[in-house]
Structures are given as structure tokens and as C-alpha cells.
Amino acid sequence: MKKNILVTGGAGFIGSHVVRLLVNEHPEYKIVNLDKLTYAGNLSNLNDIAGKPNYTFIKGDICDVTLISSVITTHDISHIIHLAAESHVDRSILNPLEFIQTNVLGTATLLDAAIKAWSGNMEEKLFYHISTDEVFGSLGSMGYFSETTPYNPHSPYSASKASSDHLVRAYHDTFGLPVVLSNCSNNFGSHQFPEKLIPLMIDHIRNNKPLPVYGKGENVRDWLWVEDHAKAISAVLHKGKNGHTYCIGGNNEWKNIDLVKTLCAVLDVKLERRPGTSEKLIAYVTDRPGHDARYAIDASKIQNELGWSPTPDFKWALEKTVDWYLANDAWLTEVTSGEYRKYYEAQYANR
Ligand code: NAD
Ligand code: TYD
């Protein structure tokens, strides 16, 4: 069936992969990408599909209720995939209110515009909210997050995402809005802003800069290749059950320090350095306040019910990612100029 899909935040890291997948795989759909183009949004992420007839870009803010209502009506939007967010934990510690504004008020604005535009006819409509496993808090050395794990967020980022998840469920329960949600683990891949661990380390290794590992580097993350996440999002969009949540993960846990050392070894080979050269750049720095110890997802619901599973070859996906950053020097230089420099100085100056 034809769908007119509004993707919010489609010029960002995950959003651009989702937009590319849907535009290429569904020429019969209309994909409208609405993005404010903050420091994290970059239209060049979508150069390869920008001219396709089933794709439209609109520069705009999800907090702008007049604009959102008009976009839903003008483009006869039937589905919303909501990815737009402030997404970096360290920034949420430096500036929490920006996260409340975009992640909480922005999501509320979208939900409200959706029920008003769709009032009286919720058939064939869907609000798909993209969330994070960070809403569940922090695990000890055992156990996994699943769809039934209670919420226990610790950072302003995760608290703002938890708040938006609750609003989505409240609009479902109160107003009958058809919704699905997914909570995903840490993503990596091409086009990720180099403030996040993997692209930051690749950039620093390549440029012989210190590799800032927080605390002892023992925190654990479950890493998922972004192209697997985009496929999972497509599976939930097409086959997810109204009102349900799906946890998405890579079944791929790494201690930060082990992952950083692996990246060093991969880059030693690619940059033709002697084995062990890049590891010498590792610099342990002051820990992140409230740093969650471990995230890990039990993804059996989406695997069993929707038939999705991640690529089993993490090393292959990691090497592909490293190759992309090495081949896209101009992209890295462009996104790390300007505003990013100010953030970088504030974040790493006194650690
Ligand atoms: P990102 O920071 O790379 O991109 C966010 C995008 O949203 C940018 O293009 C930005 O311009 C846009 N945006 C920000 N504020 C906006 C506003 N007010 N109006 C319109 N657009 C706005 O983020 P990402 O890593 O691609 O994450 C996308 C979504 O996935 C987020 O909701 C995030 O919480 C969630 N998520 C991310 C990860 C991860 O590992 N990156 C994991 C799980 C869930
Ligand atoms: P990040 O990519 O910011 O994702 P999140 O905090 O959402 O999990 O960080 C991943 C892990 O890497 C996290 O435990 C914090 C750590 N980290 C560092 O050790 N050094 C860094 O410079 C960054 C950005 C992160």
C-alpha cells in the first residue's frame, strides 16, 4: 500500500540511512524529510538520493506547530518516523534545556499535530517513535534490557528520551493514536557525527591526536551497525503491531577500551603504521558524570516476531566504517569546523 512518510531528523546519522533505504526500496512511497539542520544534520549525507522523484526535503523545526501541521496536511502524511533529537549525552550534560526543548517539547508538538491532522480517521496512520536503550538506565555485569524493563534514565539525554517515550504511549492510550516504538543500542557506521565514540576515535587516530577514554574504559556498550538499524526500522514500520515496543540491539557487547584498541589495530594496518603505534595515543581522562556502566539488549522479540536480525560480522562492518571515514576526509573536515570546535573545547578542555 502507498505511504506518504514524514521522516524527522532525516539529515542526521541514522535518519539519513533510513531515508536512503526507504527512498531506494519504495519508489511508490513519498518520503518527506523534515530536519532543522542543526550541527548534527548535514544535507550532503543524502546527495546520492536528493534528486529522486519520491523524495522531498523541508528545512524546519519539529517545535514549529504551524509548520508541522501544514506539512502533514499538504503532503497528506500517513506515517511519521520520528528521529529528530538532540542525541549526544555529553552535550546534554553541558546544556540540558536544549534536550528538553527538542526531545520533549518537539515530540509533544509532533504528536499533537498528528492527532489534530488525523482526527476522525486514524485508519492506515502510524506514529513511529525512535528511541534508545539508554531510557532503561544501567545494567550490572549480568542481564539484558527488554521491552518489559522499567525506565530508569540517568542523563538529561536519556531522561528527555524517556519522557518522549511516555508521551507517545500517553497519546496512544488517551487519543487512540496508532503508535510503535523502538529502543535501540549504540549505532556505528558512515555519516556519524565525530563527537560519538567510534568516529571520534577514528578521526583522532588518523590525526595522531590523544584518544580520550573516559574513566577506566570499562563501560560496556552493545554496538549495532546503522544499516542493520535502518532495516530494523523498516521491519517495524511495515510489520510492527500497534501499541508495541521493539528492542533492537547488535548482540555485540564491547568494553570501550577493547573497542578503542581494536580500532587502533585496524588503523595501524590501514595507515601502514607499525603494530601498537596508535594504541600509544590512548589517554585516560576524567569520567563522564553519571556514566552508565553497561547497556545490552535482548532483541528476541523483533527477531522472533518480525524476522529481523543484525549482520553477524561486526569486524567486517567496523572495517567498512573505518574505510568510509578514511575515504571521506572532506566530510569530516567540514562537520568538525565551526560550531563543533567550540563544543570540543568545552567538553575536553579540563579532563
Ligand atoms: P543525530 O544527532 O545524528 O541527528 C539528529 C538529527 O535531528 C539531525 O539531522 C538534526 O539536524 C535533527 N534535529 C535536531 N533537532 C531538530 C529539531 N528541533 N527539528 C528538526 N530536526 C532536528 O542523531 P542520530 O544518532 O541519528 O539519532 C537519531 C535518533 O535515534 C534520535 O532520536 C536518537 O535518540 C535515536 N537513537 C540513536 C542511537 C545512536 O547510537 N546514535 C541509538 C539509539 C537511538
Ligand atoms: P557515546 O558514543 O557518546 O555513546 P553513549 O554515551 O550514548 O553510549 O559513548 C560511547 C561510550 O564511549 C560511552 O561509555 C562513553 C565513552 N566515550 C569515551 O570514553 N570517550 C569519548 O571521547 C566519548 C565521546 C565516549
Side-chain angles (χ1 to χ4, degrees):
M1 186 176 295
K2 195 176 175 317
K3 300 184 199 303
N4 295 334
I5 305 178
L6 172 64
V7 179
T8 70
F13 166 49
I14 301 170
S16 61
H17 285 275
V18 171
V19 166
R20 179 175 300 103
L21 181 84
L22 293 175
V23 165
N24 285 334
E25 292 202 342
H26 294 282
E28 75 281 18
Y29 293 177
K30 177 157 95 175
I31 309 298
V32 179
N33 171 14
L34 182 135
D35 195 299
K36 189 179 169 183
L37 300 181
T38 67
Y39 78 95
N42 193 336
L43 270 188
S44 72
N45 292 355
L46 289 166
N47 279 346
D48 53 326
I49 55 109
K52 297 246 177 167
N54 61 340
Y55 173 71
T56 306
F57 174 72
I58 297 169
K59 184 173 188 301
D61 189 334
I62 55 167
C63 298
D64 180 346
V65 68
T66 312
L67 172 71
I68 300 298
S69 304
S70 140
V71 168
I72 297 178
T73 313
T74 312
H75 292 273
D76 194 18
I77 295 298
S78 56
H79 292 63
I80 297 172
I81 309 179
H82 175 36
L83 295 115
E86 288 296 333
S87 68
H88 189 39
V89 173
D90 292 324
R91 283 186 191 254
S92 82
I93 296 167
L94 293 174
N95 191 357
L97 293 186
E98 223 174 308
F99 284 66
I100 312 298
Q101 175 71 27
T102 297
N103 300 357
V104 184
L105 291 176
T107 303
T109 304
L110 273 178
L111 288 163
D112 219 55
I115 57 157
K116 284 181 179 139
W118 295 340
S119 69
N121 180 16
M122 299 281 190
E123 294 270 307
E124 310 295 340
K125 304 288 194 300
L126 185 68
F127 190 102
Y128 180 3
H129 180 62
I130 307 298
S131 192
T132 165
D133 62 354
E134 304 192 23
V135 297
F136 301 125
S138 183
L139 292 164
S141 58
M142 307 285 281
Y144 297 91
F145 298 136
S146 76
E147 290 77 10
T148 54
T149 305
Y151 278 37
N152 185 19
H154 297 127
S155 72
Y157 165 64
S158 54
S160 69
K161 290 297 290 187
S163 175
S164 65
D165 293 12
H166 291 318
L167 283 167
V168 173
R169 294 197 179 95
Y171 271 69
H172 173 70
D173 294 345
T174 308
F175 303 110
L177 181 69
V179 304
V180 282
L181 297 89
S182 54
N183 296 84
C184 188
S185 64
N186 289 64
N187 283 217
F188 71 96
S190 71
H191 303 92
Q192 185 170 30
F193 198 85
E195 62 191 355
K196 305 275 170 63
L197 181 74
I198 289 182
L200 182 137
M201 292 298 168
I202 296 171
D203 185 39
H204 282 213
I205 295 168
R206 198 189 49 149
N207 290 306
N208 276 307
K209 284 164 67 178
L211 310 179
V213 172
Y214 297 168
K216 293 183 177 149
E218 284 179 353
N219 304 64
V220 173
R221 298 293 183 262
D222 172 0
W223 291 96
L224 177 71
W225 189 35
V226 66
E227 296 193 26
D228 287 332
H229 189 192
K231 286 182 190 150
I233 289 173
S234 177
V236 174
L237 173 77
H238 290 101
K239 298 187 273 183
K241 289 199 195 110
N242 184 10
H244 278 235
T245 292
Y246 298 86
C247 281
I248 305 171
N251 196 20
N252 178 40
E253 292 180 50
W254 285 79
K255 271 188 191 170
N256 291 338
I257 187 62
D258 295 337
L259 184 55
V260 171
K261 285 182 178 170
T262 299
L263 280 169
C264 288
V266 167
L267 276 140
D268 278 348
V269 174
K270 293 195 186 286
L271 299 173
E272 298 179 359
R273 295 178 179 170
R274 276 218 311 277
T277 307
S278 301
E279 247 189 67
K280 295 196 185 108
L281 296 166
I282 290 173
Y284 292 94
V285 299
T286 310
D287 209 353
R288 173 188 280 172
H291 196 171
D292 288 334
R294 175 173 165 255
Y295 303 145
I297 286 273
D298 170 359
S300 50
K301 178 176 174 184
I302 186 170
Q303 293 188 0
N304 297 336
E305 293 186 14
L306 307 188
W308 171 89
S309 55
T311 308
D313 196 344
F314 171 65
K315 285 280 176 58
W316 172 84
L318 191 67
E319 289 219 17
K320 205 171 148 66
T321 302
V322 169
D323 289 341
W324 187 85
Y325 285 97
L326 293 180
N328 287 276
D329 202 21
W331 183 91
L332 262 177
T333 307
E334 186 195 323
V335 301
T336 51
S337 60
E339 192 273 351
Y340 179 67
R341 289 191 187 283
K342 281 189 232 142
Y343 158 75
Y344 185 85
E345 276 156 28
Q347 171 61 19
Y348 292 96
N350 301 314
R351 292 185 98 110

